[in-house]
Amino acid sequence: MRPCLIYFLLFLAFNRLYGQNPLVVKDSLSQIQWVNSQYEKMTLEERVGQLFMVSIASNQSSQQIDGFKKLVKDHSLGGIIFSNGGPVRQAQITNELQSISKIPLLIGMDAEWGLAMRLDSTYAFPWNMTLGAIADNAIVEKVGKQIGKHAKRLGVHINFAPDIDINTNPKNPIIGNRSFGENREVVTEKGIAFMKGLESAGVLSTGKHFPGHGDTATDSHKSLPIIPFSRKRLDSLELYPYQKIIDSGLSSVMVAHLEVPALELKEGLPSSLSEQIISGILRDEMGFEGLVFTDALNMKGASEFGSEGEVALKAFYAGNDILLMPENILEAKEKLLKQYEKGRITEERLSASVKKILMAKYKVGLNNYQPIDLKNLYEDLNSLENDLVYEEAIENAITVVKNRFDLLGIRNLHNKKIAYVKLGDASNDAFLKRLNKYTKVTQVNAGDIASLKSKLTDYNLIIVGHHKSNESPWKAYKFTNKELTWLKELADLRTSNLILSVFAKPYALSDIDSFQNIDAVVMSYQNSDLAQQKTAELIFGAIPAKGKLPVTAHSEFPANSGVSTKPLKRLGYSFPEKVGLSSKRLSKVDTLVQHGLDSLMFPGAQILVARKGKVIYNKSFGKPTYTSESNVTEEHIYDLASLTKILSTLPQVMRMEEDDKIDLSNTFEELVPDYSDTEIKNVTVLKALSHYGRLPAWIPFYVRTLDKNRKPSKEFYRTSLAPGFSTKVADNLYLTDAYNDSIYNRIGRQDLKSNRYRYSDVPYYVMKKYIEDTYHQRLDTLNNEFLYERIGATHTTYNPLDQFPKNKIVPSEEDKYYRYQTVQGYVHDMGAAMQGGVGGHAGLFSNANDVAKIMQMYLQNGYYGGNRFFESRTVEKFNKCYFCDKNVRRGVGFDKPQLEKSGPTCGCVSRKSFGHSGFTGTYTWADPEEEIVYVFLSNRTYPSASNTLLVKSGLRTRIQQAIYDAILN
């Protein structure tokens, strides 16, 4: 036969074999020529050597590695399957082995959920059971692609994945979480999606464990499992996903060690050694022409069926192409060579397997082999992209299987007192920390159930977390008997609602007798930090529930169970790229803040950035003071100074406007009748809050209360609480209660200034008085009830020493002119201090996370967390610049972008944006067009308010510019 005809026939065979596979190279004729050329160059021993893939671990000794080098060099092995170790060491060994191999080695790994299945310092993606809960198969494909990218970067050519076993047996000891589920359609769809993702990255896929390892309680590593079902059942279930995925272009199949009487008549013969199953069913009936791998031949399910060499020989006879991990490769190879010499292995049979192996090597680029680049290997395998893929997967997987009373996401935080009870033996830190981002959640511990129940009597909502190891899918997942008893006792506490959140395999639910008194059940599948964090977000309605159970977890929760929930528009937490920002560009914020620290602009700071409802940057810098031993954390709270205006007083004014208790046209005379005979009587709310009311910037009320030595006068102050002196302005300093009237009298005596823009604190004294007189409650109480408790702003308060330890409150100044002490836990502003710490213009303390919640509420037109605080038209009304034509940029209460070149922003924000700055070094801004919230909190006034470096540097707005520069176009 002429060579050209031979090439043509091989070309047709190639197209049939690889025509649907994403890895097929365009120049297929070149592939065939390369395959034939390589085959013709090889000796018989080298050809037989190609059939073997041996196991090596990068954490083995150098002596052991040298042994593998000799094996590769002397016996022309076809491939290596890497096991445990580390990525850099594996890459080095791979390069060494490839350099001495006559024909490049096919490198394989079991990396079902990523390289971390075998290697340290690499990324673990969700297990198949978790992926099986995801409705959108495109997400599963993304996971497969990311795993494929990692494999390719590490020089791995074939991943023994996906596992397409249908796990219909909850007691399966070896598959379980490695399966996409118990439904054949789900397993098939996910398997195809994963395969496509893997191969789109340039890595070969493997369907396993043929003909189906899902319905057995036996581990084939230890003995031979029996699959006792009829051929009809096998065709309709176990074999179903294999046929579909083969038709979709699967590169290879791994055959398991299973006894399947319906497919193999010989009793006790493993499927991996069965010609009827491999050649008859897999190849002839199902039409698979790709590579066929044995499962590891050193497993008990196969190794006990003959001597070391005989098992490999029988596997080859059965139709396998690659003999994986034989117990004794030299004996196995010798057996095959002898059978070839005797004519029992034909040249046609040998060349069929070897040429398929060579074709696979060409497909993955080994015809043009390049060593693995070790530079930045660790960084490439641990990039942010991994977290983005994992996050999307876990958000779509978490499954709510019960949600009585629509308890999830949790609403009405103001009437919830929430306890958290931990079950399981793994970490819960990420879960509890993220829960506390939304409201106060207290972990309650006890040594016995009676004590626990007693401690829980004050709580009306209990969240129970069942946390089990996330190290591997084979770890224990069940509740202990004690935990089951405790869970029942807690569920029977009908004074509270109960949410059960399970960070383990779905089958953990099967041991719970009844869910009658458990109000909500969340299945999170894994106990990774991201799974914990996203579950907390789901519980509080920051993200919706989308997942469906991939298996039957309980008689009450069959496969495909899942309750959808809608998000409540609460802030979530994610990565910059999730919302169109660049992490790399955003890192400039770190540099800018560090410059501020180095330049002594402030001792410490908190910076937060949110976009599209996701907090994507929330960092703390420096220390509370320059001499502090501890660092600033997210839990520290700052004196917000004038941010109080828009975070405390303005919400009440907006509320009153909606309730027709105030109008922007109202005058001071109408609000405070005592001002009817004053010059300020006709100042309107609109002009006053727009800072166009001709009022003075501020009034130093405290000065008149000092004696001739400029110390607090004994006429006005006491050093301890006394009748008529209950207004505490600092430690051991109490102002006479009568002085509050003096403050308002003095305001009434003010002259109006020139008719121009003048920023003023004075309107907020008036607003505070009117609000409190109208509602007959203090401003702090009103805001706690109306806003802070409902929005979950648990770190937002006036007079923080009443609620927080002093060391969690950042000091604002070493006061040497009024109080003569460290101002810590008391409002820095003197006028607000003289009002008992509760001012309309100052006095509020908070952290960046809480400030962001309130700003996000404004950004969302008055809606947050399932509550409508204001109508959209109200937010729009107060966020309007009414006097822009008078060169007054301000809205009603809100600061607005500058009208000329310089001003309160970077100049990069939209006209719809709004915010405010504070004297102590605080700043917050929200931009509806870009959906950005930015919070900067610092104590630039410590140790002295005369430090104006922060203001002069424009650092806060330079950071704002860096945020906008980080937007990806």
Side-chain angles (χ1 to χ4, degrees), residues 646 650 855 858-861 875-882 884 888-899 903-916 923-934 957 960 964:
I646 66 169
L650 196 61
M855 295 301 288
Y858 285 137
L859 196 71
Q860 295 170 175
N861 293 311
V875 177
E876 182 180 353
K877 188 174 188 176
F878 281 75
N879 187 31
K880 183 177 179 180
C881 177
Y882 289 88
C884 279
V888 178
R889 68 171 188 265
R890 299 270 177 170
V892 184
F894 295 114
D895 200 357
K896 298 285 289 175
Q898 56 263 37
L899 299 175
T905 76
C906 58
C908 52
V909 298
S910 74
R911 291 301 311 162
K912 292 181 180 179
S913 69
F914 55 91
H916 216 285
Y923 183 89
T924 186
W925 209 267
D927 188 343
E929 287 193 3
E930 290 293 350
E931 298 181 76
I932 288 176
V933 169
Y934 162 44
T957 53
Q960 188 177 52
Y964 278 74

Side-chain angles (χ1 to χ4, degrees), residues 569-571 646-647 650-651 654 786-788 791 850-865 867-872 875 894 914 926 933:
K569 298 193 80 171
R570 281 198 179 103
L571 282 172
I646 66 169
L647 303 179
L650 196 61
M654 295 168 73
F786 172 69
L787 182 57
Y788 308 146
I791 211 168
D850 277 8
V851 172
K853 292 177 184 180
I854 301 172
M855 295 301 288
Q856 186 69 25
M857 179 270 292
Y858 285 137
L859 196 71
Q860 295 170 175
N861 293 311
Y863 185 89
Y864 189 90
N867 292 308
R868 178 154 291 285
F869 294 91
F870 309 110
E871 296 299 324
S872 297
V875 177
F894 295 114
F914 55 91
V933 169

Side-chain angles (χ1 to χ4, degrees), residues 702-718:
Y702 78 99
V703 172
R704 293 189 179 182
T705 68
L706 302 179
D707 61 21
K708 62 181 181 180
N709 297 318
R710 300 191 63 81
K711 297 291 181 69
S713 170
K714 293 181 179 179
E715 177 185 355
F716 298 104
Y717 296 94
R718 298 290 183 269

Side-chain angles (χ1 to χ4, degrees), residues 504-525:
K505 195 184 297 186
Y507 300 127
L509 298 180
S510 64
D511 291 329
I512 299 173
D513 290 336
S514 172
F515 290 87
Q516 181 177 350
N517 292 330
I518 299 176
D519 300 302
V521 181
V522 184
M523 175 53 59
S524 302
Y525 302 99

Side-chain angles (χ1 to χ4, degrees), residues 30 67 71 131 135 178 256 259 301 325 346 359 361 437 483 534 548 583 585 602 617 623 646 661 682 808 877 919:
S30 296
L71 201 59
L131 299 179
R178 299 166 67 196
E259 182 179 356
M325 298 167 60
T346 65
M359 279 187 176
K361 291 184 176 185
K437 291 282 190 183
E483 288 171 340
K534 292 301 166 182
K548 301 289 184 183
S583 296
R585 295 182 200 168
F602 44 78
Y617 185 102
K623 300 176 183 294
I646 66 169
K661 296 182 184 297
N682 293 322
K808 288 298 181 183
K877 188 174 188 176
F919 183 81

